[in-house]
Amino acid sequence: MKVYKFGGASVRTADGVRNLAHIVEGEQNLFIIVSAMGKTTNALERVFTAMQKAQKDEAHKEIAEIVEYHAAIINDLWGEPTQLDEVNALFAELRSIIDNTIYRPQDAELWYDTIVAFGELISTTIISKYLNHAGLRNRWIDMRKTFVTNPRHKDANVDIKASEPRLKAALENTGVGVFVGQGFIGSAPDGTTTTLGREGSDYSAAVVAHILEAESMSVWKDVDGVLNADPKVFKDAVKIDALNYLDTIELAYSGAQIIHPKTIKPLQNKNIPLYVRPFGDKTKPGTVIKADAEHVTLPIMIYKRDQVFLIIRSKDFSFVMEEKFAVIFSLLDRFRIKTHLINNSAVDLGLSVDASWHIDELIEALEKEDFEVEKRESVCLLTIRNCTDELYERYVASQQKLVRQINFKTVRVVLPEPTF
Ligand code: ASP
Ligand code: MG
């Protein structure tokens, strides 16, 4: 068995879906994981926000645009105006959630997941039907029924043990060797839909690969493979041919958008190689991520936007010590806020964290614990691994910095107003 994952950018148009069909053509033992088409997840987030603000008309307007976008893809794929009953039924269900839900703020994450999951349900329904229509026999798999997750809505983890028998059972006696399932979604033990965190489809594919002991997993992307920098931000980005699991996790943790950070562990546990391959050309090798690849020595630049920098100080000026750290980190965990850089001095703890809905609640809770908190929004975190003097001069030296950490050959800075 092989596992292929196609991201939203790869299937954002009918041409993209035809290209997917071209890539999977002739495969016999294949599990295909697909994300929502194009920017559908963002559009569904707007539907959720409208629900949150009790703006039903706005929610329906957003849904109408999502319907139109998918209808154009369907019509193009089938070559004539076409209605797919299953897709229509999904949209009807989404509309009825908007009309009939009594929203309570304490259920924000639950409704977020319920709504946002439609992106993957719709994309996989279209793609599975289209592949069958094109003669590539396959079975649509409902990942809500196969992935059991913990109840941590909006950032759930898959319970691999509980999911294994369900996934295996779903593939039995189907008479086909090709399966199409949704990335990013699962169900909590209470049956409610969960999502695995934005960009979580890579992680879904890795869990499928782990359970099915796949020979390999491939992520098809609109780049040639893993690059050493984001080419939109930094010139001269180059492709890395091979990476080991450890380097990959470090890169993902620092914010490299190559692969979701949760992806590597399920693969590493079973020693499954991960290929990052260009969607446009299936003959190109891309990048391979595997246990025995050599440590990278090339400079790697990772630029993470939308960070919030917090400076936490204990009001009584006592040192920020172990027990204080424990309080701070358990609050971060309670509010599900992800930390990407930690910088401590005797009295301060500086944290670069993801912008989250719950930052202000966190700050309030910290203040109750007698901390003072300063917040700086919209900052960027730049990490340069294997940094050279030349890169330092070019990207770091003249920038205003809130924090600078230099650790062997890794430079990490929090920049309030980067000028590149
Ligand atoms: N569709 C989800 C997102 O855009 C999951 C994914 O693409 O991996 O975040
Ligand atoms: Mg996506």
Side-chain angles (χ1 to χ4, degrees), residues 179-212:
F179 303 90
V180 178
Q182 307 78 44
F184 183 52
I185 69 173
S187 289
D190 67 359
T192 54
T193 301
T194 48
T195 66
L196 311 177
R198 285 300 309 261
E199 306 304 323
S201 299
D202 296 335
Y203 169 52
S204 300
V207 173
V208 169
H210 176 105
I211 292 175
L212 301 179

mmCIF file of all heavy atoms in Angstrom, residues 179-212:
data_model
loop_
_atom_site.group_PDB
_atom_site.id
_atom_site.type_symbol
_atom_site.label_atom_id
_atom_site.label_comp_id
_atom_site.label_asym_id
_atom_site.label_seq_id
_atom_site.Cartn_x
_atom_site.Cartn_y
_atom_site.Cartn_z
ATOM 1 N N PHE A 179 -8.503 3.940 -2.477
ATOM 2 C CA PHE A 179 -9.416 4.550 -1.513
ATOM 3 C C PHE A 179 -9.180 6.054 -1.464
ATOM 4 O O PHE A 179 -8.054 6.509 -1.633
ATOM 5 C CB PHE A 179 -9.185 3.939 -0.127
ATOM 6 C CG PHE A 179 -9.348 2.443 -0.151
ATOM 7 C CD1 PHE A 179 -8.254 1.619 -0.401
ATOM 8 C CD2 PHE A 179 -10.604 1.874 0.005
ATOM 9 C CE1 PHE A 179 -8.403 0.245 -0.469
ATOM 10 C CE2 PHE A 179 -10.761 0.490 -0.060
ATOM 11 C CZ PHE A 179 -9.660 -0.323 -0.302
ATOM 12 N N VAL A 180 -10.267 6.794 -1.244
ATOM 13 C CA VAL A 180 -10.150 8.254 -1.155
ATOM 14 C C VAL A 180 -10.738 8.686 0.187
ATOM 15 O O VAL A 180 -11.916 8.441 0.462
ATOM 16 C CB VAL A 180 -10.927 8.939 -2.301
ATOM 17 C CG1 VAL A 180 -10.845 10.464 -2.166
ATOM 18 C CG2 VAL A 180 -10.394 8.494 -3.663
ATOM 19 N N GLY A 181 -9.917 9.303 1.026
ATOM 20 C CA GLY A 181 -10.399 9.751 2.340
ATOM 21 C C GLY A 181 -10.021 11.199 2.597
ATOM 22 O O GLY A 181 -9.102 11.741 1.978
ATOM 23 N N GLN A 182 -10.714 11.804 3.543
ATOM 24 C CA GLN A 182 -10.484 13.206 3.879
ATOM 25 C C GLN A 182 -9.252 13.357 4.767
ATOM 26 O O GLN A 182 -9.091 12.625 5.741
ATOM 27 C CB GLN A 182 -11.664 13.810 4.678
ATOM 28 C CG GLN A 182 -13.023 13.638 4.060
ATOM 29 C CD GLN A 182 -13.554 12.228 4.287
ATOM 30 O OE1 GLN A 182 -13.449 11.705 5.380
ATOM 31 N NE2 GLN A 182 -14.111 11.607 3.256
ATOM 32 N N GLY A 183 -8.456 14.343 4.495
ATOM 33 C CA GLY A 183 -7.438 14.765 5.438
ATOM 34 C C GLY A 183 -8.124 15.567 6.527
ATOM 35 O O GLY A 183 -9.296 15.932 6.404
ATOM 36 N N PHE A 184 -7.404 15.823 7.627
ATOM 37 C CA PHE A 184 -7.771 16.894 8.562
ATOM 38 C C PHE A 184 -8.922 16.580 9.517
ATOM 39 O O PHE A 184 -9.100 17.298 10.481
ATOM 40 C CB PHE A 184 -8.082 18.129 7.703
ATOM 41 C CG PHE A 184 -8.430 19.424 8.362
ATOM 42 C CD1 PHE A 184 -7.613 19.975 9.350
ATOM 43 C CD2 PHE A 184 -9.556 20.143 7.965
ATOM 44 C CE1 PHE A 184 -7.935 21.210 9.912
ATOM 45 C CE2 PHE A 184 -9.880 21.365 8.523
ATOM 46 C CZ PHE A 184 -9.068 21.902 9.508
ATOM 47 N N ILE A 185 -9.693 15.499 9.289
ATOM 48 C CA ILE A 185 -10.873 15.329 10.141
ATOM 49 C C ILE A 185 -10.941 13.931 10.780
ATOM 50 O O ILE A 185 -10.327 12.981 10.308
ATOM 51 C CB ILE A 185 -12.198 15.613 9.391
ATOM 52 C CG1 ILE A 185 -12.506 14.543 8.333
ATOM 53 C CG2 ILE A 185 -12.168 16.980 8.743
ATOM 54 C CD1 ILE A 185 -13.888 14.713 7.704
ATOM 55 N N GLY A 186 -11.709 13.847 11.840
ATOM 56 C CA GLY A 186 -11.964 12.593 12.537
ATOM 57 C C GLY A 186 -13.165 12.810 13.444
ATOM 58 O O GLY A 186 -13.906 13.779 13.259
ATOM 59 N N SER A 187 -13.346 11.906 14.416
ATOM 60 C CA SER A 187 -14.431 12.097 15.385
ATOM 61 C C SER A 187 -13.925 11.868 16.788
ATOM 62 O O SER A 187 -13.121 10.966 17.021
ATOM 63 C CB SER A 187 -15.549 11.084 15.179
ATOM 64 O OG SER A 187 -16.240 11.367 14.024
ATOM 65 N N ALA A 188 -14.472 12.638 17.713
ATOM 66 C CA ALA A 188 -14.178 12.430 19.133
ATOM 67 C C ALA A 188 -14.958 11.203 19.605
ATOM 68 O O ALA A 188 -15.890 10.770 18.927
ATOM 69 C CB ALA A 188 -14.599 13.668 19.911
ATOM 70 N N PRO A 189 -14.606 10.656 20.764
ATOM 71 C CA PRO A 189 -15.346 9.497 21.272
ATOM 72 C C PRO A 189 -16.854 9.757 21.385
ATOM 73 O O PRO A 189 -17.652 8.830 21.280
ATOM 74 C CB PRO A 189 -14.715 9.254 22.650
ATOM 75 C CG PRO A 189 -13.326 9.782 22.504
ATOM 76 C CD PRO A 189 -13.430 10.972 21.599
ATOM 77 N N ASP A 190 -17.285 11.001 21.590
ATOM 78 C CA ASP A 190 -18.726 11.277 21.670
ATOM 79 C C ASP A 190 -19.374 11.406 20.291
ATOM 80 O O ASP A 190 -20.557 11.727 20.179
ATOM 81 C CB ASP A 190 -18.988 12.544 22.497
ATOM 82 C CG ASP A 190 -18.471 13.814 21.815
ATOM 83 O OD1 ASP A 190 -17.887 13.732 20.701
ATOM 84 O OD2 ASP A 190 -18.661 14.904 22.381
ATOM 85 N N GLY A 191 -18.612 11.166 19.232
ATOM 86 C CA GLY A 191 -19.195 11.166 17.888
ATOM 87 C C GLY A 191 -19.168 12.527 17.190
ATOM 88 O O GLY A 191 -19.471 12.614 15.999
ATOM 89 N N THR A 192 -18.786 13.579 17.901
ATOM 90 C CA THR A 192 -18.727 14.885 17.236
ATOM 91 C C THR A 192 -17.496 14.953 16.324
ATOM 92 O O THR A 192 -16.473 14.297 16.582
ATOM 93 C CB THR A 192 -18.645 16.038 18.264
ATOM 94 O OG1 THR A 192 -17.543 15.777 19.143
ATOM 95 C CG2 THR A 192 -19.935 16.158 19.065
ATOM 96 N N THR A 193 -17.604 15.744 15.285
ATOM 97 C CA THR A 193 -16.495 15.871 14.334
ATOM 98 C C THR A 193 -15.365 16.679 14.956
ATOM 99 O O THR A 193 -15.602 17.682 15.629
ATOM 100 C CB THR A 193 -16.998 16.564 13.059
ATOM 101 O OG1 THR A 193 -18.048 15.774 12.526
ATOM 102 C CG2 THR A 193 -15.896 16.710 12.026
ATOM 103 N N THR A 194 -14.145 16.223 14.713
ATOM 104 C CA THR A 194 -12.977 16.987 15.176
ATOM 105 C C THR A 194 -12.093 17.331 13.977
ATOM 106 O O THR A 194 -12.168 16.654 12.936
ATOM 107 C CB THR A 194 -12.127 16.153 16.164
ATOM 108 O OG1 THR A 194 -11.914 14.854 15.600
ATOM 109 C CG2 THR A 194 -12.796 16.011 17.499
ATOM 110 N N THR A 195 -11.272 18.358 14.117
ATOM 111 C CA THR A 195 -10.231 18.602 13.110
ATOM 112 C C THR A 195 -8.874 18.542 13.811
ATOM 113 O O THR A 195 -8.778 18.684 15.029
ATOM 114 C CB THR A 195 -10.401 19.941 12.373
ATOM 115 O OG1 THR A 195 -10.209 21.018 13.290
ATOM 116 C CG2 THR A 195 -11.766 20.049 11.708
ATOM 117 N N LEU A 196 -7.859 18.318 13.000
ATOM 118 C CA LEU A 196 -6.547 17.984 13.554
ATOM 119 C C LEU A 196 -5.583 19.164 13.585
ATOM 120 O O LEU A 196 -4.404 18.981 13.832
ATOM 121 C CB LEU A 196 -5.933 16.844 12.723
ATOM 122 C CG LEU A 196 -6.853 15.644 12.467
ATOM 123 C CD1 LEU A 196 -6.166 14.613 11.574
ATOM 124 C CD2 LEU A 196 -7.267 14.999 13.790
ATOM 125 N N GLY A 197 -6.094 20.372 13.321
ATOM 126 C CA GLY A 197 -5.223 21.550 13.263
ATOM 127 C C GLY A 197 -5.040 21.948 11.810
ATOM 128 O O GLY A 197 -4.935 21.077 10.932
ATOM 129 N N ARG A 198 -4.970 23.268 11.567
ATOM 130 C CA ARG A 198 -4.835 23.738 10.187
ATOM 131 C C ARG A 198 -3.653 23.043 9.511
ATOM 132 O O ARG A 198 -2.624 22.806 10.122
ATOM 133 C CB ARG A 198 -4.636 25.273 10.142
ATOM 134 C CG ARG A 198 -5.895 26.104 10.403
ATOM 135 C CD ARG A 198 -7.043 25.869 9.433
ATOM 136 N NE ARG A 198 -6.733 25.954 8.020
ATOM 137 C CZ ARG A 198 -6.954 27.021 7.252
ATOM 138 N NH1 ARG A 198 -7.465 28.115 7.770
ATOM 139 N NH2 ARG A 198 -6.679 26.986 5.972
ATOM 140 N N GLU A 199 -3.828 22.727 8.277
ATOM 141 C CA GLU A 199 -2.822 22.000 7.478
ATOM 142 C C GLU A 199 -2.620 20.574 7.984
ATOM 143 O O GLU A 199 -1.602 19.942 7.721
ATOM 144 C CB GLU A 199 -1.479 22.747 7.442
ATOM 145 C CG GLU A 199 -1.567 24.198 6.975
ATOM 146 C CD GLU A 199 -2.209 24.352 5.608
ATOM 147 O OE1 GLU A 199 -1.977 23.478 4.741
ATOM 148 O OE2 GLU A 199 -2.960 25.322 5.414
ATOM 149 N N GLY A 200 -3.628 20.048 8.689
ATOM 150 C CA GLY A 200 -3.462 18.747 9.335
ATOM 151 C C GLY A 200 -3.600 17.536 8.423
ATOM 152 O O GLY A 200 -3.456 16.398 8.873
ATOM 153 N N SER A 201 -3.861 17.746 7.138
ATOM 154 C CA SER A 201 -4.045 16.581 6.259
ATOM 155 C C SER A 201 -2.784 15.733 6.112
ATOM 156 O O SER A 201 -2.875 14.517 5.905
ATOM 157 C CB SER A 201 -4.464 17.020 4.860
ATOM 158 O OG SER A 201 -5.671 17.702 4.922
ATOM 159 N N ASP A 202 -1.631 16.351 6.227
ATOM 160 C CA ASP A 202 -0.382 15.575 6.163
ATOM 161 C C ASP A 202 -0.371 14.552 7.293
ATOM 162 O O ASP A 202 0.034 13.402 7.118
ATOM 163 C CB ASP A 202 0.844 16.479 6.389
ATOM 164 C CG ASP A 202 1.025 17.517 5.313
ATOM 165 O OD1 ASP A 202 0.557 17.294 4.188
ATOM 166 O OD2 ASP A 202 1.650 18.559 5.605
ATOM 167 N N TYR A 203 -0.801 15.024 8.444
ATOM 168 C CA TYR A 203 -0.833 14.161 9.628
ATOM 169 C C TYR A 203 -1.824 13.014 9.407
ATOM 170 O O TYR A 203 -1.527 11.850 9.721
ATOM 171 C CB TYR A 203 -1.193 15.039 10.830
ATOM 172 C CG TYR A 203 -1.538 14.339 12.113
ATOM 173 C CD1 TYR A 203 -0.702 13.368 12.660
ATOM 174 C CD2 TYR A 203 -2.704 14.679 12.810
ATOM 175 C CE1 TYR A 203 -1.032 12.748 13.861
ATOM 176 C CE2 TYR A 203 -3.035 14.068 14.008
ATOM 177 C CZ TYR A 203 -2.201 13.103 14.537
ATOM 178 O OH TYR A 203 -2.530 12.491 15.716
ATOM 179 N N SER A 204 -2.988 13.309 8.827
ATOM 180 C CA SER A 204 -3.956 12.241 8.525
ATOM 181 C C SER A 204 -3.299 11.168 7.658
ATOM 182 O O SER A 204 -3.423 9.969 7.911
ATOM 183 C CB SER A 204 -5.153 12.777 7.726
ATOM 184 O OG SER A 204 -5.826 13.767 8.432
ATOM 185 N N ALA A 205 -2.616 11.624 6.615
ATOM 186 C CA ALA A 205 -1.994 10.683 5.678
ATOM 187 C C ALA A 205 -0.937 9.843 6.396
ATOM 188 O O ALA A 205 -0.811 8.636 6.163
ATOM 189 C CB ALA A 205 -1.378 11.439 4.511
ATOM 190 N N ALA A 206 -0.195 10.476 7.306
ATOM 191 C CA ALA A 206 0.853 9.749 8.033
ATOM 192 C C ALA A 206 0.243 8.684 8.936
ATOM 193 O O ALA A 206 0.785 7.582 9.068
ATOM 194 C CB ALA A 206 1.707 10.711 8.854
ATOM 195 N N VAL A 207 -0.896 9.000 9.549
ATOM 196 C CA VAL A 207 -1.540 8.011 10.423
ATOM 197 C C VAL A 207 -2.067 6.842 9.580
ATOM 198 O O VAL A 207 -1.930 5.680 9.964
ATOM 199 C CB VAL A 207 -2.657 8.656 11.277
ATOM 200 C CG1 VAL A 207 -3.420 7.586 12.054
ATOM 201 C CG2 VAL A 207 -2.070 9.688 12.228
ATOM 202 N N VAL A 208 -2.641 7.130 8.434
ATOM 203 C CA VAL A 208 -3.095 6.062 7.541
ATOM 204 C C VAL A 208 -1.899 5.198 7.142
ATOM 205 O O VAL A 208 -1.949 3.963 7.197
ATOM 206 C CB VAL A 208 -3.800 6.639 6.290
ATOM 207 C CG1 VAL A 208 -4.032 5.547 5.250
ATOM 208 C CG2 VAL A 208 -5.115 7.295 6.670
ATOM 209 N N ALA A 209 -0.799 5.834 6.781
ATOM 210 C CA ALA A 209 0.402 5.090 6.368
ATOM 211 C C ALA A 209 0.891 4.205 7.516
ATOM 212 O O ALA A 209 1.262 3.045 7.324
ATOM 213 C CB ALA A 209 1.497 6.060 5.931
ATOM 214 N N HIS A 210 0.867 4.754 8.708
ATOM 215 C CA HIS A 210 1.309 3.998 9.895
ATOM 216 C C HIS A 210 0.427 2.762 10.094
ATOM 217 O O HIS A 210 0.923 1.644 10.222
ATOM 218 C CB HIS A 210 1.230 4.929 11.111
ATOM 219 C CG HIS A 210 1.549 4.290 12.424
ATOM 220 N ND1 HIS A 210 2.747 4.513 13.072
ATOM 221 C CD2 HIS A 210 0.841 3.444 13.208
ATOM 222 C CE1 HIS A 210 2.757 3.813 14.205
ATOM 223 N NE2 HIS A 210 1.606 3.166 14.309
ATOM 224 N N ILE A 211 -0.882 2.976 10.114
ATOM 225 C CA ILE A 211 -1.796 1.853 10.401
ATOM 226 C C ILE A 211 -1.706 0.785 9.308
ATOM 227 O O ILE A 211 -1.705 -0.411 9.594
ATOM 228 C CB ILE A 211 -3.248 2.367 10.554
ATOM 229 C CG1 ILE A 211 -3.364 3.220 11.824
ATOM 230 C CG2 ILE A 211 -4.253 1.209 10.570
ATOM 231 C CD1 ILE A 211 -4.719 3.879 12.024
ATOM 232 N N LEU A 212 -1.602 1.219 8.062
ATOM 233 C CA LEU A 212 -1.593 0.247 6.962
ATOM 234 C C LEU A 212 -0.178 -0.232 6.636
ATOM 235 O O LEU A 212 0.025 -0.986 5.693
ATOM 236 C CB LEU A 212 -2.249 0.852 5.717
ATOM 237 C CG LEU A 212 -3.707 1.320 5.899
ATOM 238 C CD1 LEU A 212 -4.233 1.932 4.605
ATOM 239 C CD2 LEU A 212 -4.610 0.172 6.359
#
